[in-house]
Amino acid sequence: MPVNVIQLIEEAIEYERMAAERYRQGAQAADDPETRTLFEQLVRWEEDHERILHERLTTLKLIRGQQ
Amino acid sequence: MPDNRHTLAVHYFYLLRDAEADLAALWNALTEGGGPASSGTLDLGLSNAGFAGSCQIVHRVRGAEMDLCLGMLPRLAVVEIYVRGDSDEHAGISGWKRALGVIDEARRKTGDLGISLFGETTALVSAEKSSDVLAAAARPLASERGLAANETPAEDAGASRISIGRMAEPDGNGFFVCGLSPELAAGSEPLLLDLDRHGDKHRFYVVAAAEPDTLLSTHLPQIDAAIRFLVSQVTHFAQQRSTIAAERAVIDRQVGELLHRQVVLAGAAAEAPEQLDEKIAALSRLFGMLATDSLLIRQAEDHLRGSREALEAALRPCLAGGGAPDEIGAHYRDMATAELDSAHVEADKLSFSRGNAQAAIEVVRIQVELLRAGEEAAIQSQTRELLSRSLVVQQERLALQVAAGFVEFVLLFYYVLKSWEGVIGQPAIDQIPPLVRMATVGFMSLGATIGTHFLAKALHNRSWKSPGLWVSVAVLLATLTVMITISS
């Protein structure tokens, strides 16, 4: 079955969003500042991943439009 | 009514042309609640594939604080916000803060929509001529806006960027100047400054020109989009090349280890041909990966060349020529060229690795062939032995057949003679000359012996077309006739 890379990246973006949301909830439920800051750091990482994936997705769409 | 105001700043929102919902949401957010009133239904024109080359304005609305335009590029839609001011504001830089305030408010309205932008660009416009003065005034404002928009610098941004010209200055306060054609701004010898900020999604330009509306509405979006597309491709292909290089290094190591085991350590001696076949399959898979990686690198080179040419095509009609600076074109051309050079080097390395993988496949294949040739030689030797044994058996059988035929002939001779005597009686037999008797009985016995041999063959072959059989029958019948004739 052929792999649709656009669809895969869109799914990956959704996973990153879900992960960020989970960590956000973790930060809210944290009992101590150390845990909270750790979760907030994780949220930032996931948001960065989402941003990178977004940029790749757009670039890929434009490259395919160029072909 | 003619608009006598001057443009102080323009903000461009870029979206993919297929993001119709995002585009509609952005347009509605900008035109609602005090924004410019949109006249009639917005025709996005997304289904129109004819917008080739420069930016085509398909919709325009005017407002009190800002005007809006919707432009179409070949693969992108661009929403343009124009903030206007009076002549005094336009002459210097006094109107920029107010203009950026209006743009910030518009960005704030669209920030919560969750739309996916390809990028944003702000162009600050002034009739001031000194590029250094303009850059010095624009940079802090741009930085302020960048921070206000909570834009965190990309972790990977800059990894593939090339520092040239003013970018190499220790304070990093670089910008690129481009002398533009006077025809684009009522003969005012316009300048375009690119405040490159290391690949930020929000880019800033400064346009020094008297009446730059055509430049701002069509040429600058085209140039900016071409730069964005080129930069995004350089980043994308640099990352792809880095992944390919890492993959190639792993494959090189695997192939090297395998060659060492197979050739240097002669590890194949203890391996069966089937195990070596599996190694050939594994090596072929690695070879296939290298081949597809080479293809990707070649495609990346084609795309980059295409994007570099698109940028040059976008800049060409705008450049002033006659020795005017073209630092923007040079900077991004160099960036693309550097990536193309790296891609070329990687393509060479991939070619070398492919050669290694091919050599490893050949080595293992030769080992399999040698093993199989040894097995074949053993089989041939056994076959030769079996054939020689079979020949001996055949010779023995032939001797036995001849002996059996002779015995059969003797027995038949005796019984035919005795039977003839029994049928016609001893006195009649005695009257027949002995030579005639012997010849007749001999022919009869010989015919019967040979006939039996041919009959057996005919039964075995299920074919009655053997001439030997019929000759034997004829001899038997003829001899019988002779016997009857003589006896009577």
Side-chain angles (χ1 to χ4, degrees), chain B residues 320-449:
Chain B
D326 176 22
E327 292 178 358
I328 295 177
H331 173 62
Y332 295 105
R333 253 195 316 272
D334 286 355
M335 181 189 283
T337 304
E339 180 52 33
L340 278 168
D341 289 346
S342 301
H344 192 71
V345 169
E346 184 58 37
D348 285 348
K349 286 180 180 173
L350 280 168
S351 173
F352 184 74
S353 299
R354 261 199 334 271
N356 274 349
Q358 179 103 49
I361 290 171
E362 287 303 315
V363 164
V364 182
R365 187 175 287 153
I366 287 168
Q367 286 176 337
V368 172
E369 280 170 9
L370 285 172
L371 277 173
R372 295 228 160 104
E375 284 179 357
E376 262 178 42
I379 290 168
Q380 279 178 359
S381 160
Q382 286 172 353
T383 310
R384 267 199 302 277
E385 196 181 332
L386 281 173
L387 281 173
S388 69
R389 277 188 202 170
S390 165
L391 196 61
V392 169
V393 168
Q394 275 182 357
Q395 284 170 346
E396 284 174 358
R397 202 168 65 184
L398 187 63
L400 284 171
Q401 272 181 344
V402 170
F406 183 71
V407 170
E408 189 182 349
F409 173 77
V410 170
L411 285 172
L412 275 169
F413 190 92
Y414 176 77
Y415 284 109
V416 168
L417 186 61
K418 285 298 167 193
S419 302
W420 198 10
E421 277 178 11
V423 171
I424 64 171
Q426 187 64 41
I429 280 287
D430 288 341
Q431 287 183 3
I432 300 168
L435 274 175
V436 174
R437 239 186 297 166
M438 272 187 65
T440 309
V441 173
F443 271 114
M444 171 67 86
S445 304
L446 193 64
T449 306

Side-chain angles (χ1 to χ4, degrees), chain B residues 56-73:
Chain B
Q56 305 285 316
I57 302 299
V58 296
H59 204 73
R60 195 189 297 263
V61 289
R62 287 189 169 177
E65 269 200 315
M66 60 182 187
D67 299 345
L68 283 180
C69 286
L70 174 62
M72 290 293 160
L73 287 158

Side-chain angles (χ1 to χ4, degrees), chain B residues 24 33 192 221 226 267 278 283 314 330 339 350 382 448 462:
Chain B
L192 177 65
E278 282 173 18
L283 281 167
E339 180 52 33
L350 280 168
Q382 286 172 353
R462 297 174 188 273

Side-chain angles (χ1 to χ4, degrees), chain B residues 405 408-409 412 442-460 463-464 466-477 479:
Chain B
E408 189 182 349
F409 173 77
L412 275 169
F443 271 114
M444 171 67 86
S445 304
L446 193 64
T449 306
I450 295 170
T452 309
H453 173 74
F454 282 117
L455 183 63
K457 252 186 156 177
L459 284 170
H460 181 259
S463 167
W464 303 98
S466 166
L469 177 65
W470 295 113
V471 169
S472 305
V473 170
V475 168
L476 278 173
L477 288 173
T479 317

